[in-house]
Structure formats: structure tokens, C-alpha cells
Amino acid sequence: MKNIAILGAGPAGLSSAYELAKISDNFENEYNVVIFEKSSEVGGISKTALNNGYYFDLGGHRFFTKIEDVSNMWNDILKDEFILRPRLSRIYYNKKFFNYPVKVFDAVSKLGLKEDFLIFMSFMKSQMLKRKEISFEDWVSNRFGYRLYSIFFKTYTEKVWATPCDKIQAEWASQRIKGLSIGAIIKRELLGDKNEVIKTLIDEFLYPKYGPGQMYSELAKTLTEKDVKIAYNSYISAITTKENKIVSIVDNNDNEFEIDELISSIPIDDMVRLLNPPNEVLDAITNLKFRSFIIVNLVFDNLVDLKDTWIYIHEPEVKLGRVQIFNNWSPHLVKNSNCSSIGAEFFCSENDELWVLPDNEIIKKAEEEIKKIDLIPDNFKITDAKVVRVPKAYPVYDEGYKNNLNIVIDYLNAFENLQLIGRAGMFKYNNMDHSIYTGFLAARNIAYGKKYDIWGVNQDQEYHEEIKSDKW
Ligand SMILES: Cc1cc2nc3c(=O)[nH]c(=O)nc-3n(C[C@H](O)[C@H](O)[C@H](O)COP(=O)(O)OP(=O)(O)OC[C@H]3O[C@@H](n4cnc5c(N)ncnc54)[C@H](O)[C@@H]3O)c2cc1C
């Protein structure tokens, strides 16, 4: 019997256990699997929170994947509990809605003649005087001109990362918004989109009736039936190693567990610190930065007349970054369909001035900002509100991150029975499907004897980002 400890019961950790149970013919006798989860719930960032009868995601979670094994698991767990939802997500700027992904004719018709002229001149200049592509700003300006870039890319990107766009790597833009340029957009607008499959995936998406939390609580139930133990409110306080192996772990209640394999989906810095690494690794891990975010669920006593699932807020005078309209994600999320269930999202860093504000002040700020930009009428009253702070939501791909991550990976690779999986776990901008897939591979490595390169997952960013980039 092999003792396997999995740290974190988010999509990645749960999926590792699911895969082990699926591929083993004799699971109960072959493996003793314990999942240590710091919080009292499963699902991690992909859980669905509850606010007095109103369900809301920590940032709406679309289910989309090209990985068959992942969609098989989703279908196996939720069966017919998925609904197909129409997607509308627009940019809000200057109190006007713009198509997202940006459409040139739509933007030109709404910005006014003077602005159009300035955009045209700036675009011509960018084509004559191409910049060397070092930063995000260079990359986007070369394709759209500086003026259009500053309206549709700069403000929002700087809200998310709190870093000036001329300090963000050009690689970030080329990975996330591959194939996007004015020429490509105009061609698509004039000739139509030939790729119907991708187009459909963009216009509609799958979503569990009660949000992604439904998926991961059902998955946890299935695992419990298979004798996987989920230890809630548990985390690891110490790890003992011998030569290149982890031999035991100690939890927060001082229980020691001997282990054969350790799979970790907890934030990579927390994991590495438990190993007491040398100074060089400690420095590298300290320089891997995360962005966090806060979502405020506001329930208003009236129904807002908007069909969007989510809206990107490009208004520079507010800190508000994105707005979710949960009524449009699924009618099952709202207790009263005559009320609006809104998610006001703020990007921030742990312990910055927004993060430490008391909940009632964050709620007040969310309401003020959403009304200031006229998204919600002034006479709508809040009936319920809830704040959720999400630490380490986004790994920051800054100048030094690759080098630092490589130092950490080299160090971790020396441990024979340790595997890192997931989003914060691997410091990778993984969506649910890639997080889950890394969990599957870790399980297969245990069952079949280490064959799969987990760090290689998500190298190919091809899928829907070809057409547009979702800013999760
Ligand atoms: C705003 C936002 C929107 C997103 N939208 C989408 C979307 O639409 N579609 C999509 O596919 N993906 C989306 N994603 C990505 C998705 O949320 C992640 O890929 C997924 O949740 C990562 O799963 P994970 O298991 O790796 O990590 P997490 O979800 O972070 O889970 C990690 C778990 O580990 C636990 N933990 C942390 N520290 C410890 C510790 N020390 N000990 C024990 N347990 C610990 C946490 O409590 C958590 O339960 C979005 C992400 C964000 C931030």
C-alpha cells in the first residue's frame, strides 16, 4: 500500500486523486490517499461562494477545454448538470460599451470622428516607425498604434498587474493575444470567421447550473466514496527528507504521516519554504510575485438591463477592474430573478491598502464606483453583500520570473517523490483544464513510474487565444 499525500483540494489536487482511482484496478488496496486542505471547502479559486441564497464565483469560470480526458472527467462527474450559456462580454470605456474582442468598425463608430482621426494617425506612425518589441506596450502599439493601445489595452492591463505596460514583457502579449492585429481583425470583420468551431466556443460556453463549485463538491463526494480522505482545515507545518526523498510530513495538529509520494498544488513559494531550501532558491522564490484579487458580490433590489456575462472596466477614474453579472451566468445562481447579482472585481496585492480595508468599506467602494460609471442606476439599493479576498490568484510574469522559476524547478527536480501541479502550485497561468491535467499526469507518473513532463503542460497556448485573449 502506497501512502500518497496531496496538498490542496482545488481542481488540480482533487483531479490527481480522481485519476489515481480511475486508473488503478485495485485502488483501495493499492493506495492510501489523503488530501490536506487548508480551508473548510474544496474547489480552491474555482469554488462557488454563497451570499444569502445568491451563488457567485471568484471570477466567473467558463468550462472550456480541448483536452479530452478533462472533458470526460467533467461529464462523468456532472453528467447533465451542465447548461450551455450565451456569452457576451464587452469593454466599458467612456460610459460606452465596446465589443470584446475589439472590433475596429465598432470602435470607430463609437469613439467619434476626432478620436478616429487621432487613432488613424497614431496607427500610421506605428507602421512607419516600428518599435523594437521589448515590452507589452511595444508589442501592442506595433499592431494597433499607441492611441488605440492606450484605450483598449493599457488601462485594464495596468489595473490587473499594477505594473506600467512598458515594464511588462512583450512575451506576455505574444502568448496571450497571438494573431491579433488591426489587419487580422479587419479581415475577419470583412470576410467573416471561417473557424466556426472556435467561433461557437467563444459565443457560448458550458457552465454547471450552480457554478463550478458544484463540479468540485461532486468530485469530492465521488472521491470520498472511493475512500480518499479529505482533511479540511489542515496544512503541513514540516517536511522530513532523507537523501533525495520526502519521508514524512507533519500537519498543523502535529500528526506525522509517513509518505511514499507527495503531490503539491499549494502555492509554490509556500511549498518550497517547507523544504528549507538553500539561500539561492529562497531568493528565487521570494522574487516570484503573485497578484491577488477581491470580489464583492452585491445583490441589488432591481434587475439591471444588461445581457453581459462579464464586463471589462476600462474607465481610468475607478479601481474597479471587471464586473460579473451572475444572473446571466446561470439563472440557478440567483434566489430572486428580479434582483441583480453583481460581482465587482478589484485586482490588488496582498496587504495593500485595498486588501486591508474592512469589508464594509470595500462594499461601499464597490457600490460607489459601479454607480459612478453609471453601470448600475443610482436608485438601486443593495440587499445583500459579501466580500471574498483571493490571495495569489495570478502569477506575475515579470522580467526575472523565468530565471527564478528555473532555479526553483532545478532544485525541486532533485526530490524523487515530489510533484508540483496546478496554477499557483506551478506558478503557471493555467486555466482549470490545464491545472486538472497536471493533476492527472502526476497520478499517472505514480501509477506508471514517472513518464510525463508536468512542466511541459500548457506550453502550447494555441486554442481560443488565437482569436482573442480572456483576461483571467
Ligand atoms: C479570476 C479568475 C478567473 C478564472 N476563470 C477561469 C475560467 O473561466 N475558466 C478556467 O478554466 N479557469 C479559470 N481560472 C483559473 C482557475 O481558477 C484555476 O486554474 C484553478 O482553480 C487552479 O486550480 P488549482 O487546484 O491548481 O489551485 P487552486 O484553485 O488555487 O486550489 C488550491 C487549493 O489549495 C489550498 N491550499 C492553499 N495553501 C494550502 C496549504 N498550505 N495547505 C493545504 N491547502 C492549501 C487552497 O485552499 C485551495 O483549495 C480563473 C482564475 C482566476 C483567478
Side-chain angles (χ1 to χ4, degrees):
M1 174 83 98
K2 265 192 178 170
N3 289 328
I4 300 179
I6 300 177
L7 309 187
L14 294 172
S15 304
S16 263
Y18 170 88
E19 183 69 358
L20 263 179
K22 192 179 126 199
I23 58 185
S24 165
D25 294 332
N26 189 12
F27 179 70
E28 282 84 356
N29 297 320
E30 238 179 319
Y31 300 112
N32 171 30
V33 181
V34 183
I35 306 181
F36 294 87
E37 168 54 50
K38 190 165 83 170
S39 74
S40 56
E41 290 165 300
V42 297
I45 302 178
S46 305
K47 72 175 150 215
T48 303
L50 191 56
N51 174 18
N52 200 14
Y54 292 86
Y55 292 92
F56 65 101
D57 297 358
L58 314 184
H61 274 60
R62 282 196 302 149
F63 281 65
F64 175 84
T65 187
K66 282 175 89 179
I67 308 173
E68 209 182 331
D69 292 344
V70 173
S71 60
N72 287 346
M73 181 186 83
W74 284 343
N75 289 324
D76 175 35
I77 298 299
L78 276 198
K79 303 191 171 64
D80 52 4
E81 288 293 287
F82 275 115
I83 48 178
L84 192 61
R85 300 302 297 158
R87 168 199 164 145
L88 176 64
S89 51
R90 293 181 292 175
I91 290 171
Y92 193 63
Y93 169 73
N94 224 357
K95 299 196 175 163
K96 289 193 185 101
F97 287 97
F98 294 85
N99 281 103
Y100 182 79
V102 176
K103 289 195 173 144
V104 174
F105 297 120
D106 169 70
V108 162
S109 69
K110 288 173 184 160
L111 285 169
L113 276 180
K114 185 176 163 217
E115 190 59 53
D116 290 348
F117 175 72
L118 294 172
I119 287 172
F120 177 73
M121 295 308 286
S122 147
F123 175 69
M124 294 310 285
K125 187 174 163 201
S126 73
Q127 299 310 292
M128 285 185 284
L129 300 169
K130 287 257 182 206
R131 295 168 174 227
K132 193 168 170 223
E133 289 180 0
I134 297 167
S135 67
F136 179 93
E137 180 172 304
D138 301 328
W139 195 96
V140 184
S141 300
N142 273 351
R143 283 154 186 82
F144 292 88
Y146 182 83
R147 199 153 182 110
L148 206 59
Y149 144 80
S150 58
I151 296 173
F152 289 116
F153 295 87
K154 186 177 189 307
T155 331
Y156 184 83
T157 308
E158 291 185 351
K159 278 185 192 179
V160 178
W161 300 111
T163 305
C165 284
D166 59 358
K167 295 280 177 292
I168 297 174
Q169 300 283 287
E171 185 200 355
W172 172 252
S174 65
Q175 269 185 8
R176 298 295 294 178
I177 41 185
K178 208 196 264 183
L180 203 64
S181 67
I182 281 211
I185 294 176
I186 293 181
K187 199 168 140 208
R188 200 176 304 133
E189 283 175 40
L190 291 175
L191 301 178
D193 189 349
K194 297 245 163 49
N195 192 340
E196 282 306 320
V197 178
I198 288 185
K199 187 167 178 292
T200 310
L201 290 168
I202 287 170
D203 293 342
E204 292 173 327
F205 61 88
L206 282 174
Y207 189 74
K209 276 185 191 166
Y210 293 95
Q214 185 184 7
M215 165 68 68
Y216 300 107
S217 353
E218 285 302 318
L219 177 55
K221 265 192 221 155
T222 306
L223 294 177
T224 314
E225 281 160 17
K226 291 189 187 293
D227 270 356
V228 170
K229 292 166 210 69
I230 304 180
Y232 292 98
N233 306 309
S234 295
Y235 57 87
I236 300 310
S237 56
I239 290 183
T240 313
T241 58
K242 194 168 170 200
E243 286 150 16
N244 289 335
K245 277 196 133 184
I246 292 172
V247 286
S248 67
I249 55 179
V250 178
D251 74 4
N252 50 318
N253 295 316
D254 278 345
N255 301 309
E256 185 163 7
F257 301 84
E258 286 189 2
I259 58 156
D260 297 295
E261 297 281 347
L262 181 62
I263 298 176
S264 172
S265 70
I266 69 172
I268 190 166
D269 49 341
D270 296 343
M271 174 63 219
V272 172
R273 282 200 181 91
L274 284 169
L275 294 164
N276 298 319
N279 283 343
E280 187 208 8
V281 177
L282 212 58
D283 285 348
I285 210 76
T286 309
N287 288 321
L288 289 177
K289 304 272 186 259
F290 286 93
R291 280 288 274 172
S292 302
F293 96 118
I294 298 177
I295 181 155
V296 188
N297 180 232
L298 301 172
V299 179
F300 289 98
D301 61 353
N302 257 298
L303 194 57
V304 65
D305 185 20
L306 288 169
K307 296 279 171 279
D308 304 66
T309 25
W310 70 93
I311 301 165
Y312 298 109
I313 308 298
H314 285 226
E315 304 283 10
E317 76 269 24
V318 290
K319 264 188 130 319
L320 189 65
R322 201 170 38 186
V323 165
Q324 307 281 344
I325 303 173
F326 288 111
N327 305 56
N328 299 337
W329 281 83
S330 163
H332 301 273
L333 296 184
V334 293
K335 187 168 70 176
N336 179 347
S337 57
N338 294 318
C339 293
S340 308
S341 175
I342 303 294
E345 297 179 6
F346 296 93
F347 305 101
C348 58
S349 296
E350 254 178 280
N351 298 321
D352 71 7
E353 72 281 0
L354 194 64
W355 186 266
V356 298
L357 271 189
D359 286 5
N360 62 335
E361 286 185 38
I362 299 183
I363 291 167
K364 194 164 148 238
K365 183 176 177 62
E367 183 186 8
E368 272 168 15
E369 290 204 349
I370 214 163
K371 287 187 170 169
K372 180 175 179 185
I373 58 173
D374 292 345
L375 260 189
I376 296 285
D378 275 341
N379 61 339
F380 278 29
K381 299 265 174 303
I382 293 181
T383 59
D384 283 293
K386 185 165 176 156
V387 177
V388 179
R389 292 173 183 76
V390 186
K392 298 187 181 170
Y394 298 90
V396 178
Y397 287 4
D398 59 15
E399 234 173 319
Y401 100 92
K402 250 193 185 156
N403 190 29
N404 289 318
L405 189 58
N406 284 336
I407 294 173
V408 176
I409 294 173
D410 281 349
Y411 168 71
L412 292 170
N413 278 342
F415 295 94
E416 286 167 23
N417 57 346
L418 169 66
Q419 302 188 79
L420 266 57
I421 58 171
R423 179 171 165 115
M426 298 175 74
F427 201 80
K428 277 203 168 194
Y429 208 85
N430 284 333
N431 296 325
M432 287 188 290
D433 60 340
H434 287 108
S435 306
I436 288 170
Y437 194 57
T438 58
F440 285 175
L441 293 191
R444 288 175 200 172
N445 283 337
I446 292 173
Y448 305 134
K450 321 267 173 193
K451 280 192 222 141
Y452 300 96
D453 172 19
I454 302 182
W455 290 101
V457 174
N458 198 22
Q459 296 298 55
D460 176 13
Q461 293 258 333
E462 139 250 338
Y463 60 58
H464 51 326
E465 279 107 331
E466 280 170 15
I467 301 277
K468 53 109 204 78
S469 112
D470 265 344
K471 302 159 182 180
W472 297 337

